[in-house]
Amino acid sequence: MSSTTSAKNGTWRNWGGNVTARPAREVTPASVDELAEAVRRAAEDGLKVKAVGTGHSFTSIAATDGVLVRPQLLTGIRDIDRDAMTVTAEAGTPLKRLNLALAREGLSLTNMGDIMEQTVSGATSTGTHGTGRESASIAAQIKGLELVTADGSVLTCSEKENPEVFAAARIGLGALGIVTAITFAVEPLFLLTAREEPMPFDRVLADFDELWAENEHFEFYWFPHTGSTNTKRNNRSAGPRRPVGRAAGWIEDEFLSNGVFQVAQWVGRAAPATVPTIARVSSKALSARTYTDIPFKVFTSPRRVRFVEMEYAVPRAAVTETLRELRTTIERSGLRISFPVEVRTAPADDITLSTASGRDSAYIAVHMVRGTPFQAYFTAAERIFTAHEGRPHWGKVHTRDAEYFAGVYPRFGEFTALRDRLDPDRRFQNDYLRRVLGS
């Protein structure tokens, strides 16, 4: 599931297959010192530098024609502090390994996204999030960061040390330096009970505030061309642990969510007119189920069907109106959408360029299967999202630029000023950052 580089021609591709790059060279540093040295060498050679994780971003945020830094040797847990209840992980550690290691130690993150293939620094630098009433994105759980800056020096930051860097670098877009280690707040391992059940779209919209208020983690998937959704409510539980049985898990997660879904996508691609029928069948295939397990087994699920995605954060108060507009647009457009729309929430946080910075937010994500033309659908959706002052996920498809971001992020200038200070020569710039932050 990671990004790939073919050694033959040195081309790097992201997971979604929609971004390619040809770096001048690749480095795989085994230590922070080696990484700092690679940054200094790049400067001497006049090359830009970008670190890349597993390529799960659909934007070209990690693409470079300069030096591509691969962090796979910078992995593992550096330190567990049980008094402070923090864990420090090397930047290249996959979330999957972090979650497994924490569980073995009887610890867990408070909240997480629904995919755990990404590296901890890739996930946090782009603002990866799950859903939560009080608990926010993965980056909002960061207590400290270590960063190699453009001159090759190593900077540590937290609320006490370099606090202005800490405010921005938790979701730093790779623009302020290369993150080498992250300290997360953790808590004793707990159990979550997940309740998944189909619910009519109109009822979810009518009761959204209630569903949000009554659950620690509420999300739902709406199947376009149908009046159906699948809702998921995750709440803390005293136990006992009752995981999804292996057979049931295979049927729900692998066969229905990945297998039948893949076939439905193939059929939909070959015969778009069949999509509404397939959507109705798919939406009815998932039945209600309840299970109790440790957090990462409840929050995350495998994603084997490759797709391209756009996701915007809108003010939470605007979510139902935005979704109604999206439904109307899809109905009127003649578009055939075979992939469900995913809706999640996050509380306001204090990170400079977090999509939930300073405002309670709801996330609406639209997807298309990899290889299908997504422009018409995404353009129509983006028009609706931007009308509500939406903020696009930094790692997902969007067409916004620095001028737009200056309007929807009150602290945008704070971030660009810090970038001017830490990377005056734009060592970490690429085309994407030039567009979203200005040059």
Side-chain angles (χ1 to χ4, degrees):
M1 264 190 118
S2 68
S3 55
T4 48
T5 301
S6 99
K8 277 203 294 290
N9 60 6
T11 301
W12 172 84
R13 266 187 192 77
N14 68 337
W15 181 84
N18 64 318
V19 178
T20 55
R22 297 198 63 176
R25 64 173 180 249
E26 285 190 33
V27 293
T28 312
S31 67
V32 176
D33 290 343
E34 278 185 27
L35 175 55
E37 179 55 36
V39 172
R40 286 192 290 269
R41 267 197 58 207
E44 285 163 20
D45 298 341
L47 293 170
K48 306 285 188 195
V49 186
K50 288 310 311 170
V52 66
T54 53
H56 263 265
S57 288
F58 301 101
T59 57
S60 52
I61 191 164
T64 186
D65 56 5
V67 178
L68 191 71
V69 177
R70 294 190 166 268
Q72 59 257 47
L73 300 180
L74 298 172
T75 61
I77 288 179
R78 247 190 222 185
D79 178 58
I80 295 178
D81 183 337
R82 288 185 187 271
D83 295 327
M85 284 305 276
T86 59
V87 169
T88 302
E90 305 273 349
T93 310
L95 285 169
K96 186 185 263 174
R97 275 184 57 189
L98 176 67
N99 287 334
L100 282 165
L102 288 177
R104 276 201 300 272
E105 297 287 341
L107 301 168
S108 177
L109 293 170
T110 299
N111 199 0
M112 57 194 80
D114 58 4
I115 299 178
M116 55 175 182
E117 308 302 322
Q118 313 98 311
T119 60
V120 292
S121 62
T124 54
S125 296
T126 53
T128 299
H129 61 89
T131 190
R133 185 183 57 205
E134 283 102 19
S135 52
S137 71
I138 307 178
Q141 299 167 68
I142 294 177
K143 290 290 173 200
L145 276 178
E146 180 183 82
L147 196 67
V148 170
T149 55
D151 59 5
S153 56
V154 182
L155 195 66
T156 54
C157 57
S158 64
E159 277 169 7
K160 293 188 179 65
E161 199 180 354
N162 297 307
E164 74 298 342
V165 178
F166 183 66
R170 283 173 286 169
I171 298 180
L173 316 185
L176 305 174
I178 294 178
V179 175
T180 48
I182 300 175
T183 301
F184 292 101
V186 291
E187 55 177 307
L189 194 61
F190 54 94
L191 292 172
L192 285 170
T193 292
R195 187 171 151 207
E196 297 175 11
E197 65 171 322
M199 196 180 285
F201 186 55
D202 288 326
R203 193 186 137 200
V204 175
L205 294 192
D207 298 349
F208 184 82
D209 290 339
E210 221 168 291
L211 288 161
W212 170 82
E214 286 171 3
N215 296 285
E216 288 169 64
H217 308 273
F218 174 67
E219 65 185 300
F220 71 92
Y221 293 86
W222 165 55
F223 296 82
H225 313 295
T226 78
S228 313
T229 75
N230 200 41
T231 62
K232 185 171 179 180
R233 289 171 257 198
N234 298 330
N235 290 287
R236 295 199 180 209
S237 161
R241 187 173 173 181
R242 285 210 177 87
V244 176
R246 191 169 283 178
W250 185 84
I251 288 169
E252 290 277 343
D253 298 325
E254 287 301 332
F255 183 64
L256 289 175
S257 299
N258 285 303
V260 167
F261 193 51
Q262 177 77 68
V263 173
Q265 301 300 328
W266 288 332
V267 174
R269 242 163 107 172
T274 62
V275 166
T277 311
I278 294 169
R280 282 192 292 278
V281 173
S282 307
S283 69
K284 288 188 172 55
L286 295 165
S287 51
R289 62 173 181 171
T290 302
Y291 51 96
T292 301
D293 214 332
I294 59 173
F296 82 84
K297 301 215 168 179
V298 174
F299 284 132
T300 69
S301 50
R303 289 279 187 277
R304 310 214 194 285
V305 178
R306 299 218 177 194
F307 53 82
V308 178
E309 179 178 359
M310 168 183 280
E311 180 184 64
Y312 267 74
V314 297
R316 202 183 67 234
V319 66
T320 54
E321 191 189 333
T322 309
L323 285 164
R324 284 194 183 98
E325 289 169 19
L326 184 62
R327 174 172 61 181
T328 303
T329 297
I330 291 173
E331 280 170 2
R332 286 185 185 157
S333 66
L335 290 166
R336 296 281 178 249
I337 310 304
S338 57
F339 220 108
V341 173
E342 183 181 22
V343 182
R344 296 176 288 174
T345 68
D349 65 41
D350 63 351
I351 303 170
T352 318
L353 290 187
S354 162
T355 43
S357 185
R359 74 181 190 196
D360 292 341
S361 301
Y363 293 96
I364 303 174
V366 296
H367 312 68
M368 286 291 258
V369 165
R370 172 175 164 169
T372 49
F374 58 82
Q375 280 81 0
Y377 178 34
F378 284 12
T379 301
E382 192 171 40
R383 203 170 289 138
I384 296 165
F385 300 150
T386 54
H388 291 280
E389 298 197 334
R391 298 167 176 171
H393 187 302
W394 296 107
K396 297 177 186 176
V397 176
H398 68 88
T399 65
R400 304 295 90 192
D401 60 11
E403 190 186 352
Y404 179 84
F405 291 121
V408 294
Y409 283 102
R411 297 164 63 193
F412 188 73
E414 206 180 296
F415 189 96
T416 53
L418 181 65
R419 181 187 183 216
D420 288 341
R421 197 183 97 207
L422 291 179
D423 187 13
D425 301 326
R426 300 291 186 261
R427 184 67 44 222
F428 302 114
Q429 176 139 291
N430 62 5
D431 291 343
Y432 180 76
L433 292 182
R434 191 178 292 113
R435 184 183 108 210
V436 302
L437 298 175
S439 46

